[in-house]
Amino acid sequence: VQLQASGGGLVQAGGSLRLSCVASGLTFRTYRMGWFRQAPGQERAFVASISSSGTSTTHADSVKGRFTISRDNAKSTVYLQMNSLKPEDTAVYYCAAGRTPVLLSTSPILGQGTQVTVSS
């Protein structure tokens, strides 16, 4: 299984970024997908998840109203649209996959991260 994330970078506070993650080696449409992030010196934190069909999403309170997760099963790709970015959003963002919500939460398959840096 490979999860290839991209789209990170340096952006000013208030700006936007769109992260993408292309999955391979798994039947994408059967997996719940998500994004986690880890800031320096902090534990990895949940950001958002989306059901296998794309009909149900969950976002962490810290990003609600600013970030939106979506997916395209035909392209085996999950996205994270990030608007109104804040300096505290600075972290390495990881794409994640799990067969169930519990597995995604407790033992996700993680890809390599992409760095997001928000300057004030």
Side-chain angles (χ1 to χ4, degrees), residues 44-83:
R44 188 176 66 222
F46 169 79
V47 176
S49 66
I50 187 166
S51 63
S52 58
S53 64
T55 57
S56 174
T57 62
T58 303
H59 296 79
D61 288 344
S62 58
V63 307
K64 274 182 184 176
R66 300 187 299 120
F67 292 10
T68 303
I69 189 172
S70 62
R71 66 189 294 161
D72 184 337
N73 284 352
K75 295 182 179 180
S76 297
T77 302
V78 61
Y79 305 97
L80 185 68
Q81 178 66 45
M82 306 186 295
N83 299 328

Side-chain angles (χ1 to χ4, degrees), residues 1 14 21 31 66 76 80 85 88 92-94 103 106 111 113 117:
V1 175
C21 173
Y31 277 75
R66 300 187 299 120
S76 297
L80 185 68
L85 282 160
E88 51 263 43
V92 177
Y93 283 71
Y94 296 92
L103 286 175
T106 60
T117 303

Side-chain angles (χ1 to χ4, degrees), residues 8 12 14 22 34 46 52 54 58 62 68 86 89 109 120:
Q12 287 189 330
V22 180
F46 169 79
S52 58
T58 303
S62 58
T68 303
K86 304 175 181 180
D89 295 318
I109 301 168
S120 57

Side-chain angles (χ1 to χ4, degrees), residues 20 28 66 107:
S20 300
F28 183 77
R66 300 187 299 120
S107 56

Side-chain angles (χ1 to χ4, degrees), residues 89-113:
D89 295 318
T90 295
V92 177
Y93 283 71
Y94 296 92
C95 177
R99 292 300 304 270
T100 67
V102 171
L103 286 175
L104 181 65
S105 176
T106 60
S107 56
I109 301 168
L110 291 175
Q112 102 292 352

